[in-house]
Amino acid sequence: MSKSSKKSFSKIFALAVFAVLFFSMGPFYIVEEGSQVVVTRFGEIVDSHTDAGLYFKIPFIDKITTYSKLVLSLDGDEQRIPTKENQFIIVDTTSRWRIADPVKFYQSLTIMDNAYNRLSDIIDSSTRTVITQNRLSEIVRSSNVINDLKSENQQTDEDTKEIEALINTNVENELILKGRGVLCKEMLAEACKLVPEYGIELIDILPRQIKYSDELTESVYNRMIKDRNQFAQAYRSRGEGKKAEWLGKLDSDKRTISSEAYRRSEEIKGTADAQAAAIYAAAYNKDPEFYAFWKSMESYKQNLKDYPATYSTNMDYFKYLYSANGRK
Protein backbone atom coordinates (compact mmCIF):
# COMPACT_ATOMS: atom_id res chain seq x y z
CA MET A 1 0.00 0.00 0.00
CA SER A 2 1.41 3.37 -1.02
CA LYS A 3 2.02 6.20 1.36
CA SER A 4 -0.79 8.35 -0.13
CA SER A 5 -3.22 5.46 0.19
CA LYS A 6 -2.33 5.08 3.82
CA LYS A 7 -2.97 8.77 4.42
CA SER A 8 -6.37 8.59 2.69
CA PHE A 9 -7.34 5.52 4.67
CA SER A 10 -6.28 7.24 7.90
CA LYS A 11 -8.41 10.29 7.10
CA ILE A 12 -11.44 8.18 6.28
CA PHE A 13 -10.97 6.12 9.44
CA ALA A 14 -10.58 9.29 11.51
CA LEU A 15 -13.74 10.76 9.96
CA ALA A 16 -15.63 7.52 10.64
CA VAL A 17 -14.47 7.46 14.24
CA PHE A 18 -15.41 11.12 14.64
CA ALA A 19 -18.81 10.49 13.10
CA VAL A 20 -19.42 7.55 15.42
CA LEU A 21 -18.36 9.57 18.43
CA PHE A 22 -20.43 12.55 17.30
CA PHE A 23 -23.62 10.58 16.81
CA SER A 24 -23.03 8.65 20.02
CA MET A 25 -23.12 11.97 21.88
CA GLY A 26 -26.71 12.51 20.66
CA PRO A 27 -26.63 15.68 18.56
CA PHE A 28 -30.21 15.09 17.40
CA TYR A 29 -33.45 14.79 19.32
CA ILE A 30 -37.03 14.04 18.37
CA VAL A 31 -40.07 16.06 19.39
CA GLU A 32 -43.00 13.64 19.62
CA GLU A 33 -46.56 14.41 18.58
CA GLY A 34 -48.36 16.11 21.46
CA SER A 35 -45.11 17.41 22.94
CA GLN A 36 -43.18 20.68 22.88
CA VAL A 37 -39.66 21.46 24.05
CA VAL A 38 -37.52 24.28 25.37
CA VAL A 39 -33.76 24.26 24.59
CA THR A 40 -31.47 25.86 27.15
CA ARG A 41 -27.74 26.45 27.03
CA PHE A 42 -25.97 27.18 30.28
CA GLY A 43 -29.37 27.96 31.82
CA GLU A 44 -30.37 30.40 29.08
CA ILE A 45 -33.20 29.65 26.66
CA VAL A 46 -31.86 29.46 23.13
CA ASP A 47 -34.71 27.80 21.26
CA SER A 48 -38.17 26.16 21.55
CA HIS A 49 -40.15 23.83 19.32
CA THR A 50 -43.87 23.11 19.33
CA ASP A 51 -44.01 21.04 16.15
CA ALA A 52 -43.11 17.38 15.96
CA GLY A 53 -39.87 16.52 14.12
CA LEU A 54 -36.12 15.90 14.29
CA TYR A 55 -33.97 18.73 15.64
CA PHE A 56 -30.28 19.41 16.28
CA LYS A 57 -28.61 20.33 19.58
CA ILE A 58 -25.08 20.80 20.79
CA PRO A 59 -24.22 17.65 22.73
CA PHE A 60 -23.46 18.03 26.45
CA ILE A 61 -24.21 21.74 26.26
CA ASP A 62 -27.82 22.10 25.18
CA LYS A 63 -30.46 20.78 27.59
CA ILE A 64 -33.89 19.72 26.35
CA THR A 65 -36.96 20.22 28.58
CA THR A 66 -40.11 18.55 27.30
CA TYR A 67 -43.68 19.60 28.11
CA SER A 68 -47.01 18.18 27.05
CA LYS A 69 -48.95 20.06 24.41
CA LEU A 70 -52.20 18.22 25.27
CA VAL A 71 -55.07 19.46 27.40
CA LEU A 72 -54.38 18.68 31.05
CA SER A 73 -56.71 18.49 34.04
CA LEU A 74 -56.42 19.75 37.58
CA ASP A 75 -58.69 18.66 40.43
CA GLY A 76 -58.77 21.20 43.21
CA ASP A 77 -58.99 20.61 46.95
CA GLU A 78 -62.16 21.14 48.97
CA GLN A 79 -62.71 24.70 50.17
CA ARG A 80 -65.08 25.96 52.83
CA ILE A 81 -66.45 29.17 51.31
CA PRO A 82 -69.17 31.56 52.57
CA THR A 83 -71.87 32.66 50.13
CA LYS A 84 -73.35 36.14 49.90
CA GLU A 85 -75.87 35.16 52.63
CA ASN A 86 -72.90 34.07 54.80
CA GLN A 87 -73.86 30.41 54.48
CA PHE A 88 -70.81 28.17 54.33
CA ILE A 89 -70.57 25.51 51.62
CA ILE A 90 -67.89 23.01 50.64
CA VAL A 91 -66.70 23.42 47.04
CA ASP A 92 -64.07 21.63 44.99
CA THR A 93 -63.45 22.26 41.33
CA THR A 94 -61.96 20.61 38.30
CA SER A 95 -60.21 22.53 35.51
CA ARG A 96 -58.76 21.97 32.07
CA TRP A 97 -55.66 23.78 30.92
CA ARG A 98 -52.67 23.52 28.60
CA ILE A 99 -49.24 25.04 28.13
CA ALA A 100 -49.68 27.71 25.45
CA ASP A 101 -46.21 29.28 25.59
CA PRO A 102 -43.45 26.85 26.65
CA VAL A 103 -40.85 29.63 26.91
CA LYS A 104 -42.91 31.66 29.42
CA PHE A 105 -43.82 28.46 31.21
CA TYR A 106 -40.16 27.52 31.60
CA GLN A 107 -39.16 31.01 32.71
CA SER A 108 -41.87 31.31 35.36
CA LEU A 109 -42.51 27.79 36.57
CA THR A 110 -39.98 25.43 34.96
CA ILE A 111 -41.44 22.17 36.30
CA MET A 112 -44.95 20.76 36.29
CA ASP A 113 -45.26 20.53 40.08
CA ASN A 114 -44.76 24.29 40.33
CA ALA A 115 -47.42 24.77 37.65
CA TYR A 116 -49.96 22.62 39.47
CA ASN A 117 -49.37 24.41 42.76
CA ARG A 118 -49.56 27.90 41.27
CA LEU A 119 -52.55 27.11 39.10
CA SER A 120 -54.35 25.56 42.06
CA ASP A 121 -53.84 28.74 44.09
CA ILE A 122 -55.17 30.92 41.27
CA ILE A 123 -58.25 28.74 40.70
CA ASP A 124 -59.04 28.51 44.43
CA SER A 125 -58.77 32.29 44.74
CA SER A 126 -61.02 33.00 41.75
CA THR A 127 -63.56 30.44 42.96
CA ARG A 128 -63.70 32.00 46.40
CA THR A 129 -63.98 35.51 44.94
CA VAL A 130 -66.98 34.64 42.75
CA ILE A 131 -68.84 32.49 45.28
CA THR A 132 -68.64 35.04 48.10
CA GLN A 133 -70.30 37.61 45.80
CA ASN A 134 -73.32 35.45 44.91
CA ARG A 135 -76.27 33.77 46.58
CA LEU A 136 -76.37 30.05 47.27
CA SER A 137 -79.22 29.51 44.79
CA GLU A 138 -77.13 31.04 42.00
CA ILE A 139 -74.32 28.58 42.75
CA VAL A 140 -76.32 25.35 42.91
CA ARG A 141 -78.84 26.06 40.14
CA SER A 142 -78.42 26.87 36.47
CA SER A 143 -81.87 28.10 35.47
CA ASN A 144 -85.38 29.05 36.64
CA VAL A 145 -86.88 25.76 35.44
CA ILE A 146 -87.99 24.93 39.02
CA ASN A 147 -89.91 28.20 39.22
CA ASP A 148 -91.45 27.56 35.79
CA LEU A 149 -92.56 24.07 36.79
CA LYS A 150 -94.00 25.42 40.04
CA SER A 151 -95.95 28.07 38.13
CA GLU A 152 -97.37 25.43 35.79
CA ASN A 153 -98.38 23.26 38.73
CA GLN A 154 -100.00 26.22 40.47
CA GLN A 155 -102.07 26.94 37.37
CA THR A 156 -103.51 23.42 37.26
CA ASP A 157 -103.31 22.12 40.84
CA GLU A 158 -106.00 23.73 42.96
CA ASP A 159 -105.19 21.43 45.88
CA THR A 160 -101.66 22.87 46.04
CA LYS A 161 -103.08 26.38 46.15
CA GLU A 162 -105.39 25.41 48.97
CA ILE A 163 -102.60 23.75 50.95
CA GLU A 164 -100.31 26.76 50.53
CA ALA A 165 -103.15 29.00 51.68
CA LEU A 166 -103.52 26.86 54.80
CA ILE A 167 -99.85 27.16 55.75
CA ASN A 168 -99.65 30.81 54.65
CA THR A 169 -96.69 30.27 52.33
CA ASN A 170 -96.38 33.23 50.01
CA VAL A 171 -92.60 32.85 49.59
CA GLU A 172 -91.60 32.35 45.98
CA ASN A 173 -88.44 30.62 44.83
CA GLU A 174 -85.61 33.05 44.23
CA LEU A 175 -85.14 34.02 40.62
CA ILE A 176 -81.86 32.89 39.09
CA LEU A 177 -80.21 35.86 37.43
CA LYS A 178 -76.92 34.20 36.50
CA GLY A 179 -76.84 30.53 37.36
CA ARG A 180 -73.96 28.15 37.83
CA GLY A 181 -72.89 28.28 34.18
CA VAL A 182 -72.37 32.05 34.25
CA LEU A 183 -70.55 31.84 37.57
CA CYS A 184 -68.17 29.26 36.09
CA LYS A 185 -67.39 31.71 33.29
CA GLU A 186 -66.79 34.45 35.87
CA MET A 187 -64.38 32.16 37.74
CA LEU A 188 -62.57 31.47 34.48
CA ALA A 189 -62.37 35.17 33.61
CA GLU A 190 -61.03 35.98 37.08
CA ALA A 191 -58.36 33.29 36.85
CA CYS A 192 -57.41 34.21 33.26
CA LYS A 193 -56.23 37.61 34.49
CA LEU A 194 -53.17 35.89 36.00
CA VAL A 195 -52.40 32.69 34.10
CA PRO A 196 -51.17 34.18 30.77
CA GLU A 197 -47.97 35.43 32.40
CA TYR A 198 -47.12 31.81 33.13
CA GLY A 199 -47.61 30.70 29.54
CA ILE A 200 -50.76 28.83 30.49
CA GLU A 201 -54.12 28.80 28.76
CA LEU A 202 -56.95 27.98 31.17
CA ILE A 203 -59.86 26.40 29.30
CA ASP A 204 -62.57 26.10 31.96
CA ILE A 205 -63.35 25.84 35.67
CA LEU A 206 -66.22 23.64 36.79
CA PRO A 207 -67.50 22.84 40.28
CA ARG A 208 -67.00 19.11 40.70
CA GLN A 209 -68.89 19.01 43.98
CA ILE A 210 -70.92 21.48 46.02
CA LYS A 211 -72.17 20.40 49.42
CA TYR A 212 -73.36 22.04 52.59
CA SER A 213 -71.09 22.45 55.57
CA ASP A 214 -72.02 20.45 58.67
CA GLU A 215 -73.81 23.31 60.44
CA LEU A 216 -75.64 24.34 57.27
CA THR A 217 -76.59 20.73 56.54
CA GLU A 218 -78.29 20.43 59.92
CA SER A 219 -80.06 23.75 59.38
CA VAL A 220 -81.27 22.68 55.93
CA TYR A 221 -82.51 19.33 57.23
CA ASN A 222 -84.36 21.02 60.08
CA ARG A 223 -85.97 23.47 57.66
CA MET A 224 -86.96 20.64 55.33
CA ILE A 225 -88.48 18.70 58.24
CA LYS A 226 -90.36 21.80 59.37
CA ASP A 227 -91.68 22.46 55.86
CA ARG A 228 -92.80 18.85 55.41
CA ASN A 229 -94.48 18.89 58.83
CA GLN A 230 -96.30 22.07 57.84
CA PHE A 231 -97.51 20.48 54.65
CA ALA A 232 -98.52 17.30 56.50
CA GLN A 233 -100.45 19.32 59.07
CA ALA A 234 -102.05 21.34 56.29
CA TYR A 235 -103.16 18.16 54.52
CA ARG A 236 -104.51 16.79 57.80
CA SER A 237 -106.39 20.02 58.49
CA ARG A 238 -107.77 20.04 54.97
CA GLY A 239 -108.81 16.40 55.39
CA GLU A 240 -110.57 17.15 58.66
CA GLY A 241 -112.33 20.08 57.02
CA LYS A 242 -113.43 17.92 54.11
CA LYS A 243 -114.57 15.25 56.56
CA ALA A 244 -116.67 17.77 58.51
CA GLU A 245 -118.06 19.11 55.23
CA TRP A 246 -119.08 15.67 54.00
CA LEU A 247 -120.47 14.64 57.38
CA GLY A 248 -122.52 17.84 57.46
CA LYS A 249 -123.74 17.18 53.97
CA LEU A 250 -124.52 13.58 54.92
CA ASP A 251 -126.49 14.69 57.98
CA SER A 252 -128.34 17.28 55.92
CA ASP A 253 -129.17 14.70 53.26
CA LYS A 254 -130.28 12.30 55.99
CA ARG A 255 -132.63 14.87 57.47
CA THR A 256 -133.94 15.74 54.02
CA ILE A 257 -134.58 12.09 53.18
CA SER A 258 -136.18 11.42 56.59
CA SER A 259 -138.39 14.48 56.26
CA GLU A 260 -139.48 13.46 52.79
CA ALA A 261 -140.13 9.89 53.95
CA TYR A 262 -142.17 11.14 56.90
CA ARG A 263 -144.17 13.40 54.62
CA ARG A 264 -144.84 10.56 52.24
CA SER A 265 -145.77 8.18 55.06
CA GLU A 266 -148.19 10.70 56.55
CA GLU A 267 -149.65 11.31 53.12
CA ILE A 268 -150.11 7.57 52.61
CA LYS A 269 -151.59 7.20 56.09
CA GLY A 270 -153.98 10.05 55.42
CA THR A 271 -155.02 8.49 52.15
CA ALA A 272 -155.48 5.12 53.83
CA ASP A 273 -157.48 6.65 56.69
CA ALA A 274 -159.69 8.43 54.19
CA GLN A 275 -160.23 5.21 52.30
CA ALA A 276 -160.95 3.34 55.54
CA ALA A 277 -163.40 6.03 56.62
CA ALA A 278 -165.12 5.80 53.25
CA ILE A 279 -165.38 2.02 53.59
CA TYR A 280 -166.72 2.34 57.14
CA ALA A 281 -169.22 4.94 56.02
CA ALA A 282 -170.38 2.75 53.16
CA ALA A 283 -170.76 -0.21 55.52
CA TYR A 284 -172.61 1.91 58.09
CA ASN A 285 -175.04 3.15 55.51
CA LYS A 286 -175.88 -0.39 54.42
CA ASP A 287 -176.76 -1.68 57.97
CA PRO A 288 -176.34 0.89 60.76
CA GLU A 289 -177.51 -1.53 63.47
CA PHE A 290 -175.06 -4.23 62.52
CA TYR A 291 -172.33 -1.66 62.25
CA ALA A 292 -173.07 -0.43 65.80
CA PHE A 293 -173.09 -4.02 67.05
CA TRP A 294 -169.80 -4.88 65.35
CA LYS A 295 -168.05 -1.81 66.68
CA SER A 296 -169.31 -2.58 70.21
CA MET A 297 -167.93 -6.10 69.99
CA GLU A 298 -164.60 -4.79 68.86
CA SER A 299 -164.59 -2.34 71.76
CA TYR A 300 -165.45 -5.07 74.30
CA LYS A 301 -162.71 -7.25 72.91
CA GLN A 302 -160.20 -4.47 73.12
CA ASN A 303 -161.12 -2.91 76.51
CA LEU A 304 -162.66 -5.52 78.80
CA LYS A 305 -159.61 -7.79 78.75
CA ASP A 306 -157.84 -5.33 81.06
CA TYR A 307 -160.69 -5.42 83.68
CA PRO A 308 -161.29 -8.75 85.48
CA ALA A 309 -164.52 -7.50 87.12
CA THR A 310 -167.28 -5.07 86.25
CA TYR A 311 -169.38 -3.72 89.14
CA SER A 312 -172.04 -2.10 87.07
CA THR A 313 -173.43 -2.81 83.64
CA ASN A 314 -176.16 -0.27 83.87
CA MET A 315 -174.90 1.88 81.09
CA ASP A 316 -175.47 2.20 77.42
CA TYR A 317 -171.99 0.82 76.68
CA PHE A 318 -173.07 -2.70 77.71
CA LYS A 319 -176.39 -2.72 75.89
CA TYR A 320 -175.32 -5.53 73.57
CA LEU A 321 -174.17 -7.76 76.47
CA TYR A 322 -177.09 -7.67 78.92
CA SER A 323 -179.87 -5.87 77.15
CA ALA A 324 -182.77 -8.02 76.04
CA ASN A 325 -182.76 -6.28 72.74
CA GLY A 326 -179.08 -6.64 72.37
CA ARG A 327 -178.78 -10.40 72.82
CA LYS A 328 -178.49 -12.46 69.69
Side-chain angles (χ1 to χ4, degrees):
M1 182 180 293
S2 65
K3 189 175 182 180
S4 60
S5 297
K6 289 181 179 180
K7 287 182 179 182
S8 298
F9 177 77
S10 297
K11 288 180 180 180
I12 294 172
F13 180 76
L15 288 173
V17 170
F18 178 77
V20 170
L21 291 175
F22 179 76
F23 284 106
S24 65
M25 290 186 294
F28 297 102
Y29 63 94
I30 298 174
V31 177
E32 302 287 349
E33 289 288 346
S35 298
Q36 52 191 339
V37 301
V38 173
V39 182
T40 57
R41 187 176 301 156
F42 304 115
E44 182 180 353
I45 298 175
V46 294
D47 202 357
S48 65
H49 300 286
T50 57
D51 296 327
L54 181 66
Y55 297 94
F56 175 79
K57 69 172 183 176
I58 300 176
F60 305 114
I61 297 177
D62 290 346
K63 180 181 178 182
I64 308 301
T65 303
T66 303
Y67 300 117
S68 175
K69 198 167 61 172
L70 304 177
V71 174
L72 306 174
S73 64
L74 173 62
D75 294 332
D77 297 326
E78 290 186 350
Q79 293 189 85
R80 188 170 182 269
I81 306 175
T83 64
K84 189 175 182 179
E85 308 97 328
N86 202 31
Q87 295 178 339
F88 284 87
I89 57 175
I90 308 298
V91 181
D92 67 272
T93 59
T94 184
S95 307
R96 293 184 302 165
W97 65 285
R98 67 184 186 88
I99 301 173
D101 189 334
V103 174
K104 283 186 178 180
F105 185 86
Y106 182 87
Q107 290 173 335
S108 56
L109 300 170
T110 307
I111 61 175
M112 294 297 293
D113 287 342
N114 292 340
Y116 282 119
N117 292 334
R118 183 59 184 140
L119 194 56
S120 180
D121 291 340
I122 293 173
I123 292 173
D124 289 348
S125 176
S126 64
T127 301
R128 179 176 293 273
T129 299
V130 172
I131 287 180
T132 53
Q133 295 174 353
N134 291 274
R135 294 178 286 109
L136 177 61
S137 57
E138 297 279 359
I139 300 165
V140 299
R141 291 166 55 191
S142 298
S143 68
N144 285 301
V145 64
I146 294 179
N147 293 348
D148 297 337
L149 290 175
K150 182 179 179 182
S151 298
E152 291 177 4
N153 291 336
Q154 285 179 339
Q155 291 174 2
T156 58
D157 193 351
E158 294 298 329
D159 289 341
T160 301
K161 289 183 179 181
E162 186 174 346
I163 294 301
E164 291 184 349
L166 287 174
I167 61 177
N168 297 320
T169 55
N170 295 320
V171 180
E172 297 182 355
N173 286 329
E174 293 178 317
L175 291 176
I176 304 304
L177 303 177
K178 297 180 181 178
R180 187 168 55 198
V182 174
L183 296 188
C184 290
K185 293 179 180 179
E186 291 183 0
M187 295 176 193
L188 178 62
E190 187 72 20
C192 285
K193 296 176 182 178
L194 300 175
V195 294
E197 64 182 87
Y198 301 105
I200 292 174
E201 178 188 356
L202 191 57
I203 299 173
D204 57 23
I205 301 175
L206 298 173
R208 186 175 58 175
Q209 178 179 235
I210 298 175
K211 62 182 181 179
Y212 297 127
S213 60
D214 293 339
E215 62 272 17
L216 185 56
T217 299
E218 184 177 359
S219 173
V220 169
Y221 285 163
N222 290 337
R223 188 177 71 242
M224 291 171 64
I225 292 172
K226 180 181 178 181
D227 290 344
R228 293 304 95 190
N229 285 336
Q230 284 183 330
F231 271 95
Q233 184 59 42
Y235 275 107
R236 283 193 289 267
S237 298
R238 179 175 179 272
E240 291 295 331
K242 289 292 185 181
K243 176 184 176 182
E245 179 183 342
W246 282 103
L247 288 176
K249 183 179 179 181
L250 178 64
D251 191 48
S252 177
D253 291 345
K254 179 181 177 181
R255 288 196 298 268
T256 301
I257 294 172
S258 298
S259 176
E260 179 64 18
Y262 179 77
R263 186 189 67 78
R264 290 287 299 153
S265 67
E266 291 299 315
E267 183 179 322
I268 293 171
K269 286 180 182 179
T271 302
D273 289 342
Q275 291 176 354
I279 293 172
Y280 286 140
Y284 176 79
N285 291 330
K286 285 185 178 182
D287 192 345
E289 183 62 27
F290 179 76
Y291 179 79
F293 172 75
W294 179 259
K295 293 301 288 183
S296 295
M297 292 299 103
E298 288 292 323
S299 178
Y300 297 155
K301 182 180 178 181
Q302 184 69 27
N303 296 323
L304 292 182
K305 66 180 181 178
D306 296 328
Y307 301 97
T310 301
Y311 297 101
S312 175
T313 59
N314 188 18
M315 59 183 69
D316 190 58
Y317 180 73
F318 292 106
K319 68 180 181 178
Y320 287 105
L321 285 178
Y322 300 104
S323 171
N325 295 328
R327 293 180 181 272
K328 298 294 184 181

